[in-house]
Amino acid sequence: MPKYEPILLKNMLQPGYTGSLAEYERAGGYQAIRKVLGKVSPADVTAVVMKSGLRGRGGAGFPTGVKWGFLPKDYQGPRYLCCNADESEPGTFKDRQLIERDPHQLLEGMLLACYAIGAASSYIYIRGEFVLGAKILEQAINEARAAGYVGKNIFGSNTTIDIWVHRGAGAYICGEETALLESLEGKRGLPRVKPPFPATHGLYNKPTVVNNVETLANLPHILNRGAEWFASIGSPPKSTGTRVFCVSGHVARPGNYEVPMGITFRELIYEQAGGMRSDKKLKAFIPGGASAPFLTPDHLDVKLDFESVALAGSMLGSGGVTVMEEGTDMVWAALRLMEFFYHESCGKCSPCREGSSWLVQIMRRIVNKRGQLADLETLTDLCKNIAGRTVCAFGDAEVSPILSTLKHWRHEYVAMIHAAEAANLIRPEPVGAKQ
Amino acid sequence: MPDQKPETVRLTIDGTTVAVPKGTLVIEAARRVGVMIPHFCYHPKLKPDANCRMCLVEVEKMPKLQTACSTPVAEGMAVRTATTTVDDAHKSVLEFILANHPLDCPVCDQGGKCDLQDFSHQYTPTTSRFTETKRIFQKEYFSPLIETQMNRCVQCLRCVRYCDEIMDVKALAPVGRGTMTEIKHFGPHELDCEFCGGCIQICPVGAITSRLSMYEYRPWMLKRADTICTFCGDGCRITVQTKGNELIEVNSAHGAGRNNGDLCARGFFGFHASSDADRLTHPLIRREGKLVEATWEDALEYVAEQALRLKLAHSADAFGGLITSRCTNEDLYVFQKFMRQVIGTNRIDSSARYGHLNGVQALRRVQGTHRWTIAFEDIVAANALLLVGTNITETSPITGLKVKEAVKKRQASLVTMEALQPAIDTLSNITNLALQHFPTHPAQFGNTVLGLTKAVIEGNLVDATLAQQAPAFVQRLTSALQGISWENLEAVTGQTRTQWTETAKILAGANRLVILVGNGVLRHPGGDATVTNLLDLLILLGKLDKPGCGLGPLAEENNDQGAVEMGAVAEFFPGPAPLDDQPVRDRIATVWREELPRTPGASLTEMLAAANKGSLKALFVVGENPVGTLPAEAQAAEALGKLDLLVCQELFLTETAAMAHVVLPACSYMEKDGTFTNSEGHVQGVRQAINPVGDSRPDWEMFSALSVLMGSPLEYGDAREILKEIRTVIPGYGLLGPTPTPPKVDQAVLSGYLTQGFAGDAATRYAVSQPRQTGDGSFTLMFVQTLFHSGKLSTHSKGLLQLQQEGFLSINPEDAARLDLADGGQVKVSNSRGAITTTVKIRERVPAGLLWFPEHFDGEAKQLAEWTIDPRTQIPYFKLAHVSLAKVS
């Protein structure tokens, strides 16, 4: 018996649960939408969500109800809901499980969101690599459509809500909401300049809400059990509800753990995930996906809520907790993440485009024992010049591995450079920029 | 033209307060106070993309630096552009951009006019911290006219955005991700697009440059002349750059001219026509049947002597004159003055006869103006646009851009009627942007417009006050159109009643409605009637004299409008004023100090007929080539062969010039001063860019010299003096500002038209015209203008010849499949007039049943054309033929 009551993972934790429409309904599914449709006004649905304190689970943690409230009230044309299922953040794999194991929970959440914002069409933008997930969603949508839950006049009401699955083509940046919209429109997935925000000028320039899978999956439960119930879970008032944390790395039991926000990293790693995989001690962990700066054992008692992690100098982000044990080469770890960001930089903004390739080349040199002490200053400088100077948050994200490892483990960089000097290999070695 | 004043916002830029319209971007507000914020990706024409991050500035109360190019001003905003933080940001962004830049300025054509070079000098140290390996792109062959050097690219995407947002061509795209982002075109072949040169002009660095001037110059070596393009009626401002007397490059500065810096392939790549090796450099006199070189003195004396002899032996009306509308107003004016005063005849004509007069005559008849009552600004500001018979992208590309801007940026509703099929292609296609498109057979424009007028009347969309003011007009049209059944109209045109009804609603609902009429109407039988009917449509909708509404015939040649206004046509004195307009006749006589001839004028076709009959003895031909242009049925060669004196003033030895007794080498537009009047009636200055080629002279100079030799001197020191005289004859001519003030509808003429003027031919204009039965094949062959050429001048341009150098037959894919024709294969095109064999090009934009052949390469092909003459405007129509096709294996 788990210590905390699972909400999102409840159904799939039942042995033999396949996620079919029948089983979802047997477990109490599609009750929230029935309860709401035509009986509660869309504005009241938004009010409930606002009151529940639900915040976006994709990374930025923006209050969901507030986001919905930004849609223009008097706009007559179409509005859209987009479900962001482009889960590409390294170390994050919660949406995948929510999609593959309980697709109807997501669909019901989308129906509720569409109802609240007045959208007749909604799209699930799913990461291209999630072939299985896309198939399962298509199947689930077909089931729901056959049952009259999706499409014209759902549940016999006069409301029309359609859901379409759109597969991405393998770009991390398309998880950024405006790049997602561009890609969904059939264009090159590059982030848009904001403002205007999607709430007013989103998909096809129409008012649009983009919500994460986990965010949407919470909606049926909030509508079923009430805003007060949801707001009482976790670390109220600012971080309510549970979160599915994806624990990976050098732990005994990697996996998804749904726990109330506000428990400590120590509890998540040592109690939920079974502690370290060997007798080596914990050296470092990333608290919220690759974009979040590294934390150290000193931060193990930080609470898993948005504010506490921010205070500790990192972010709760997407909930991907990657744990590293003693002996992990932190410079190499930073390079590995930098390689990822270099590969995924979309190339729109000069600092990020050129900076990521420059940073990765310096990091490769250092790891290949051809670094110089001056490189560390250059690294810091370049990182500072990228962060905050790009269209989207990618620029801030890509510098976090280097900046945080330089902050906590600068001595490892220095040692590596001294070793290079000792080996008399300090001349920069050309590193091909071609991938 | 904006209707109301926009709200203003006050902000401070580096402490200076400035008030700008709401919605202005910070970068533009800064420019107003003289603060230049460095940028690469920003361009006033394009939607902000904020990708280069060069324009970061501090905005008070905002935590992060903001991009000035994408931040709109706000009341009380305080912007700082010169702080250490901002300076550091500029330096750092430049450091990033330069990291992978090859720094090959010494061999880069952009050197000296490169933004990256300038900003680097301004902001960065001369050494770089970048010691890693630079990213290198494989050099790829791009196109014969455009050179790309992607290692220099700063990925600002201005080229890609221009190609999409402004041109609607979408030929370019960024390919790859991150540092490997490279600008490419699509497909495994060289670039195939409109070749507007926009990407070259808008590239801030040396990544995209022109191959026509590759490695030829540094910007500071060049001399510049601002002049007007000669290739169509749009009247684009171009800057001709020369080194010594050599033409190096043509471009157009953003904000300059009616084109706002945009050009088309002809404007950007066509300039070499003037320096073509085939240019005539010396006068030629026919001696013993052969044209031999002569001195100017000999040639002019010969002409003067012969002319005087013929005038004495016959009469002044034994002379005729024909001039091209490519000439300047000054040339045209002196030409007609020479013919009317020195010779004493009204038998003159110009190439405005080929179609533009249809538009002018209809405008004069209905609204009493000879010009548009609208300007390009009204096209951009229109709520609804109706394009009739114009493949505007190919014929008037820059007017086309105004239409695109109205539709794409300002969401105007576009209705098109043209023998064109919407299709994605290498060229943009205006029908792709249309809300309603009527695919119209070239012989069916009149009937399709009738359907629209019928829909307006039957949909009760007629202006309420009109029915009271002009009951006779409304009743006459109503009864005529009620007499035509929808079934009949649908059957002949292939359109549907629903579409007419929908379109009528769109047009009626628009506050600002602009109708543009192109060659499809103006140069085809019934052109005059169709333009008049379109004006009737505007009247019925109550929009003829509403601000922002009006009809504009699109001139084909750069100075068609000027030719009419200078009186270089059979029916008009300068003004234009009809020959029987006594006050004008008196005014001109005072200026000329001589009585004007009273005999009637003769149009081109009438002169040819007279020559054939033997009553016309001498013909002055300026830049026109009837033998090469007209089909055999016009009998131009026979007619000219009978003349006692044929004098040609030409750039090249054309078919007509080859028959002449004397050929005089003329200057092209690059070599003379003067003015051109564009489609919308804007008079613009033409400035000399190079010295005359060989011994060539401006056309007016030759007439001036001849007049001296013939004893009635017309002496002018330069083109300005001529313009001065023009202004005494036509008060205020060419005194317009940078934006023309279009004339207003003449209410007296309009009310005359509404009470009586319309009635004379109402019965014929409001009847379904039945397609002509020719007994020839089932295909309709159209001789069309193409984007890459513009008459016989452009076919001497080496740049344009690389894009298109011969005629080919464009055919719809379905027709091609039916006849088993393959792209690039040979086909025999024939009718009762003759047969030709040509190459097939399959294009989706050609409607089924139609064939296109570029008129600039029509040599053999034109013999197939049918020849008819408009009874009212004397316009010869020869752009259509009915033919059969057979595959040649």
Side-chain angles (χ1 to χ4, degrees):
Chain A
M1 189 61 199
K3 186 174 169 189
Y4 303 106
E5 185 206 343
I7 298 166
L8 302 175
L9 305 186
K10 187 181 162 207
N11 290 345
M12 64 185 87
L13 286 173
Q14 306 300 320
Y17 183 79
T18 61
S20 70
L21 177 60
E23 285 188 39
Y24 180 64
E25 290 207 275
R26 208 172 306 131
Y30 287 114
Q31 286 309 314
I33 183 72
R34 284 178 209 270
K35 211 164 89 180
V36 162
L37 206 59
K39 293 170 193 134
V40 184
S41 76
D44 289 344
V45 176
T46 308
V48 170
V49 173
M50 215 176 282
K51 205 167 148 202
S52 73
L54 176 66
R55 290 172 68 174
R57 303 304 201 223
F62 197 82
T64 307
V66 177
K67 197 178 206 175
W68 293 0
F70 285 151
L71 291 199
K73 302 274 176 298
D74 46 356
Y75 183 79
Q76 290 305 315
R79 300 144 180 258
Y80 296 106
L81 171 75
C82 295
C83 168
N84 186 344
D86 192 60
E87 183 177 56
S88 315
E89 186 74 18
T92 312
F93 38 82
K94 61 187 176 66
D95 294 345
R96 174 175 169 180
Q97 190 170 356
L98 290 170
I99 290 168
E100 289 178 3
R101 303 289 292 276
D102 204 0
H104 285 285
Q105 178 176 247
L106 170 62
L107 297 187
E108 187 178 2
M110 288 184 67
L111 294 178
L112 288 164
C114 282
Y115 178 71
I117 64 170
S121 290
S122 59
Y123 298 90
I124 303 173
Y125 185 94
I126 186 164
R127 181 178 174 186
E129 290 86 341
F130 287 180
V131 180
L132 180 63
K135 222 176 192 171
I136 288 172
L137 277 174
E138 293 274 15
Q139 219 170 338
I141 292 170
N142 286 343
E143 274 183 297
R145 189 168 279 136
Y149 297 176
V150 167
K152 281 215 167 82
N153 305 333
I154 56 167
F155 299 97
S157 72
N158 54 4
T159 306
T160 293
I161 298 175
D162 236 315
I163 304 178
W164 310 99
V165 177
H166 183 101
R167 288 182 58 201
Y172 169 77
I173 196 63
C174 291
E176 199 277 341
E177 62 176 1
T178 55
L180 181 151
L181 296 176
E182 288 280 298
S183 174
L184 195 51
E185 288 181 10
K187 301 180 191 154
R188 190 176 159 86
L190 302 183
R192 294 177 184 170
V193 181
K194 289 183 274 189
F197 291 94
T200 54
H201 297 77
L203 187 63
Y204 304 115
N205 232 1
K206 300 287 183 287
T208 302
V209 166
V210 184
N211 281 149
N212 172 258
V213 171
E214 189 186 348
T215 316
L216 291 165
N218 268 305
L219 295 175
H221 305 287
I222 294 174
L223 271 303
N224 268 331
R225 298 166 77 171
E228 290 77 12
W229 162 79
F230 191 83
S232 72
I233 304 169
S235 174
K238 289 199 161 167
S239 300
T240 59
T242 62
R243 279 204 71 168
V244 181
F245 288 104
C246 324
V247 188
S248 63
H250 304 152
V251 290
R253 286 198 309 270
N256 281 329
Y257 296 93
E258 185 181 12
V259 294
M261 280 198 267
I263 72 162
T264 62
F265 280 104
R266 191 180 298 283
E267 187 183 344
L268 179 71
I269 295 167
Y270 288 94
E271 289 180 27
Q272 298 284 331
M276 302 304 288
R277 65 173 181 181
S278 65
D279 49 8
K280 284 191 190 163
K281 283 194 184 135
L282 182 144
K283 178 178 185 181
F285 64 94
I286 305 171
S291 308
F294 282 81
L295 292 178
T296 67
D298 297 345
H299 300 107
L300 275 172
D301 291 313
V302 169
K303 281 181 171 179
L304 278 156
D305 61 45
F306 292 108
E307 281 68 33
S308 307
V309 182
L311 211 62
S314 188
M315 62 178 190
L316 195 54
S318 63
V321 180
T322 308
V323 179
M324 292 165 209
E325 62 188 15
E326 276 304 338
T328 308
D329 180 341
M330 295 314 289
V331 185
W332 177 85
L335 168 62
R336 185 63 202 84
L337 289 175
M338 197 55 233
E339 295 266 12
F340 169 78
F341 286 118
Y342 166 57
H343 183 254
E344 294 296 345
S345 169
C346 76
K348 175 165 178 150
C349 306
S350 316
C352 170
R353 177 184 69 239
E354 306 293 341
S356 60
S357 105
W358 194 343
L359 286 173
V360 88
Q361 292 195 62
I362 298 179
M363 290 295 287
R364 280 180 193 157
R365 261 198 302 111
I366 294 175
V367 169
N368 289 336
K369 304 221 166 21
R370 270 128 177 122
Q372 319 175 32
L373 276 177
D375 286 337
L376 300 187
E377 195 192 325
T378 312
L379 280 179
T380 324
D381 244 29
L382 296 181
C383 288
K384 273 198 315 209
N385 289 342
I386 297 171
R389 292 186 182 166
T390 51
V391 164
C392 74
F394 187 100
D396 305 85
E398 72 177 321
V399 302
S400 67
I402 293 181
L403 284 181
S404 60
T405 49
L406 266 175
K407 181 171 154 198
H408 300 301
W409 297 280
R410 188 182 175 91
H411 57 277
E412 293 195 15
Y413 283 83
V414 174
M416 209 170 256
I417 289 164
H418 282 323
E421 281 170 352
N424 201 18
L425 283 171
I426 53 170
R427 265 167 308 171
E429 179 208 48
V431 185
K434 278 224 170 187
Q435 291 156 27
Chain B
M1 277 168 218
D3 287 327
Q4 67 250 26
K5 270 204 163 161
E7 241 178 282
T8 54
V9 169
R10 292 168 70 83
L11 72 159
T12 65
I13 310 249
D14 295 334
T16 315
T17 306
V18 58
V20 291
K22 196 179 167 190
T24 307
L25 298 166
V26 169
I27 200 166
E28 285 298 330
R31 209 195 290 265
R32 297 261 180 113
V33 292
V35 174
M36 215 290 280
I37 300 174
H39 59 270
F40 295 104
C41 73
Y42 171 74
H43 194 281
K45 277 186 200 198
L46 307 174
K47 274 186 258 170
D49 200 44
N51 65 45
C52 75
R53 317 306 286 174
M54 192 63 205
C55 66
L56 291 167
V57 292
E58 265 183 84
V59 177
E60 211 171 75
K61 295 190 196 119
M62 290 201 186
K64 287 202 274 185
L65 296 177
Q66 301 293 314
T67 44
C69 74
S70 66
T71 311
V73 294
E75 186 63 42
M77 187 184 249
V79 179
R80 282 187 296 270
T81 73
T83 64
T84 333
T85 326
V86 172
D87 198 54
D88 283 350
H90 291 163
K91 281 195 173 119
S92 78
V93 172
L94 262 177
E95 185 181 32
F96 283 127
I97 289 178
L98 286 171
N100 277 318
H101 188 82
L103 304 172
D104 58 346
C105 304
V107 292
C108 175
D109 270 351
Q110 195 80 358
K113 55 174 182 178
C114 173
D115 290 352
L116 183 56
Q117 206 176 34
D118 293 349
F119 297 145
S120 302
H121 280 296
Q122 196 174 343
Y123 291 104
T124 57
T126 48
T127 55
S128 171
R129 289 192 285 178
F130 186 81
T131 54
E132 323 302 325
T133 312
K134 292 200 191 242
R135 176 259 293 118
I136 292 170
F137 291 120
Q138 285 296 309
K139 176 90 182 78
E140 279 181 25
Y141 180 71
F142 202 61
S143 114
L145 296 178
I146 300 176
E147 168 79 356
T148 57
Q149 193 43 269
M150 277 304 138
N151 290 325
R152 296 174 187 153
C153 176
V154 296
Q155 280 84 17
C156 69
L157 306 187
R158 279 200 334 199
C159 53
V160 177
R161 287 148 64 212
Y162 184 88
C163 198
D164 170 17
E165 292 175 29
I166 308 294
M167 297 304 298
D168 201 39
V169 173
K170 306 182 180 78
L172 302 173
V175 175
R177 197 156 71 189
T179 38
M180 300 313 290
T181 305
E182 190 180 0
I183 310 303
K184 290 193 171 187
H185 63 284
F186 299 98
H189 46 71
E190 63 187 41
L191 178 69
D192 193 358
C193 70
E194 285 192 13
F195 289 96
C196 66
C199 50
I200 298 174
Q201 293 213 70
I202 210 159
C203 181
V205 297
I208 308 184
T209 50
S210 166
R211 284 180 74 96
L212 286 186
S213 53
M214 202 158 54
Y215 305 140
E216 296 230 358
Y217 69 98
R218 283 288 175 222
W220 56 84
M221 299 172 175
L222 300 182
K223 207 177 85 190
R224 290 169 185 77
D226 285 335
T227 184
I228 301 297
C229 179
T230 187
F231 287 117
C232 79
D234 289 343
C236 295
R237 166 79 64 79
I238 53 173
T239 303
V240 181
Q241 321 240 11
T242 53
K243 194 172 83 180
N245 204 34
E246 204 183 331
L247 292 167
I248 299 293
E249 193 176 63
V250 159
N251 51 29
S252 187
H254 164 67
R258 306 301 296 152
N259 51 322
N260 191 15
D262 300 313
L263 291 175
C264 70
R266 291 173 246 165
F268 196 84
F269 290 113
F271 58 93
H272 278 299
S274 291
S275 54
D276 190 70
D278 289 343
R279 277 286 297 273
L280 292 171
T281 51
H282 297 282
L284 305 172
I285 299 183
R286 186 169 300 278
R287 294 194 204 279
E288 290 157 14
K290 271 191 196 151
L291 285 171
V292 292
E293 277 190 15
T295 62
W296 271 107
E297 288 78 5
D298 289 350
L300 290 172
E301 272 168 20
Y302 177 84
V303 175
E305 211 172 282
Q306 293 298 316
L308 285 171
R309 182 180 65 79
L310 288 169
K311 195 176 165 185
L312 216 61
H314 305 281
S315 72
D317 281 341
F319 284 77
L322 186 59
I323 190 166
T324 170
S325 319
R326 296 211 183 282
C327 284
T328 61
N329 285 323
E330 289 72 9
D331 291 329
L332 290 156
Y333 178 82
V334 176
F335 160 77
Q336 61 87 31
K337 188 175 177 186
F338 174 84
M339 293 305 297
R340 290 195 163 116
Q341 187 174 346
V342 180
I343 305 289
T345 180
N346 282 320
R347 306 188 130 203
I348 56 173
D349 214 350
S350 73
S351 42
R353 177 70 54 199
Y354 291 133
H356 191 62
L357 270 168
N358 264 339
V360 175
Q361 292 282 30
L363 290 179
R364 280 177 54 83
R365 174 184 178 189
V366 177
Q367 61 185 32
T369 74
H370 52 271
R371 282 186 181 174
W372 297 14
T373 52
I374 43 169
F376 283 168
E377 285 77 2
D378 294 304
I379 299 179
V380 175
N383 305 116
L385 285 150
L386 171 61
L387 268 55
V388 188
T390 174
N391 178 4
I392 199 163
T393 304
E394 301 209 44
T395 57
S396 313
I398 303 305
T399 315
L401 290 187
K402 311 287 172 193
V403 175
K404 288 175 192 170
E405 186 179 344
V407 177
K408 294 184 74 167
K409 282 201 185 146
R410 307 176 62 112
Q411 283 77 45
S413 311
L414 175 66
V415 179
T416 50
M417 289 182 188
E418 170 64 336
L420 185 66
Q421 212 49 49
I424 306 291
D425 201 344
T426 53
L427 308 183
S428 66
N429 184 332
I430 201 73
T431 59
N432 288 350
L433 298 176
L435 198 60
Q436 293 286 350
H437 171 58
F438 295 83
T440 313
H441 187 276
Q444 290 297 336
F445 286 111
N447 293 339
T448 310
V449 172
L450 283 189
L452 196 51
T453 315
K454 186 172 163 72
V456 165
I457 289 178
E458 295 188 5
N460 291 323
L461 300 169
V462 176
D463 181 38
T465 54
L466 182 75
Q468 289 155 15
Q469 285 169 359
F473 175 76
V474 178
Q475 278 158 22
R476 182 75 183 85
L477 266 52
T478 308
S479 66
L481 286 165
Q482 271 166 356
I484 300 170
S485 74
W486 282 115
E487 292 71 29
N488 187 3
L489 277 176
E490 287 182 338
V492 288
T493 61
Q495 319 292 352
T496 64
R497 181 182 176 176
T498 336
Q499 198 182 359
W500 274 311
T501 311
E502 286 301 308
T503 306
K505 280 185 208 150
I506 295 171
L507 302 187
N511 275 329
R512 303 174 76 97
L513 169 64
V514 170
I515 301 181
L516 297 176
V517 188
N519 285 335
V521 170
L522 300 174
R523 301 210 304 182
H524 286 109
D528 172 52
T530 306
V531 182
T532 314
N533 287 4
L534 282 165
L535 287 163
D536 285 354
L537 181 69
L538 275 174
I539 296 172
L540 288 172
L541 291 168
K543 296 189 195 297
L544 185 72
D545 48 1
K546 286 273 150 52
C549 296
L551 176 142
L554 297 165
E556 184 197 335
E557 293 193 346
N558 56 316
N559 208 17
D560 272 347
Q561 184 68 27
V564 178
E565 293 176 359
M566 290 304 108
V569 286
E571 58 267 61
F572 292 129
F573 287 139
L579 299 188
D580 55 9
D581 186 332
Q582 195 56 44
V584 171
R585 179 182 279 274
D586 294 342
R587 189 168 71 227
I588 297 175
T590 329
V591 177
W592 289 4
R593 299 206 190 91
E594 189 135 2
E595 187 52 24
L596 274 63
R598 294 213 170 261
T599 48
S603 71
L604 162 68
T605 49
E606 288 163 338
M607 283 191 275
L608 290 179
N612 251 324
K613 274 196 306 194
S615 58
L616 193 82
K617 299 289 181 195
L619 188 64
F620 289 90
V621 178
V622 185
E624 266 301 304
N625 181 14
V627 180
T629 318
L630 304 179
E633 211 170 324
Q635 295 185 313
E638 292 88 327
L640 300 190
K642 292 181 185 161
L643 293 171
D644 290 344
L645 178 64
L646 175 62
V647 184
C648 280
Q649 301 179 188
E650 253 302 350
L651 301 178
F652 303 102
L653 196 67
T654 60
E655 290 90 338
T656 307
M659 294 179 65
H661 298 100
V662 179
V663 181
L664 304 172
C667 286
S668 78
Y669 70 118
M670 290 283 190
E671 300 138 56
K672 57 187 175 187
D673 287 340
T675 53
F676 286 156
T677 307
N678 77 348
S679 269
E680 42 162 6
H682 196 38
V683 183
Q684 310 185 87
V686 177
R687 296 284 164 263
Q688 182 178 359
I690 52 171
N691 295 330
V693 170
D695 281 346
S696 65
R697 290 201 197 179
D699 292 295
W700 67 263
E701 260 188 49
M702 301 182 214
F703 287 115
S704 183
L706 279 174
S707 68
V708 174
L709 294 174
M710 289 177 72
S712 350
L714 312 174
E715 284 183 289
Y716 302 97
D718 59 13
R720 271 164 207 266
E721 276 185 30
I722 306 172
L723 184 61
K724 226 158 125 190
E725 182 175 320
I726 294 173
R727 283 176 184 158
T728 58
V729 173
I730 314 170
Y733 197 80
L735 285 176
L736 302 170
T739 310
T741 325
K744 297 251 183 302
V745 170
D746 185 332
Q747 292 298 340
V749 174
L750 178 59
S751 69
Y753 175 76
L754 287 178
T755 47
Q756 211 151 27
F758 74 94
D761 57 350
T764 45
R765 283 194 289 122
Y766 287 91
V768 176
S769 58
Q770 293 302 334
R772 220 163 102 134
Q773 298 303 323
T774 58
D776 278 320
S778 59
F779 282 99
T780 307
L781 172 64
M782 300 168 68
F783 294 96
V784 295
Q785 280 188 280
T786 71
L787 179 61
F788 299 132
H789 282 286
S790 172
K792 302 291 184 252
L793 184 58
S794 70
T795 50
H796 288 275
S797 154
K798 67 177 180 194
L800 298 176
L801 284 173
Q802 292 195 67
L803 297 175
Q804 187 184 333
Q805 52 187 328
E806 57 187 9
F808 52 82
L809 192 77
S810 301
I811 184 169
N812 180 282
E814 284 169 34
D815 290 335
R818 201 156 41 81
L819 296 167
D820 191 28
L821 296 171
D823 203 55
Q826 295 288 307
V827 65
K828 186 176 165 202
V829 190
S830 60
N831 64 11
S832 51
R833 292 178 169 76
I836 58 155
T837 301
T838 183
T839 314
V840 170
K841 194 166 172 185
I842 299 176
R843 295 170 81 189
E844 275 178 60
R845 56 175 59 202
V846 182
L850 297 187
L851 305 168
W852 290 358
F853 196 89
E855 60 173 15
H856 328 295
F857 296 101
D858 60 3
E860 288 273 281
K862 67 174 177 294
Q863 62 178 311
L864 305 173
E866 284 151 24
W867 173 257
T868 42
I869 297 168
D870 192 287
R872 202 174 88 88
T873 51
Q874 292 295 320
I875 285 173
Y877 302 115
F878 50 95
K879 296 295 170 190
L880 274 191
H882 290 83
V883 295
S884 350
L885 291 187
K887 186 182 173 179
V888 176
S889 37

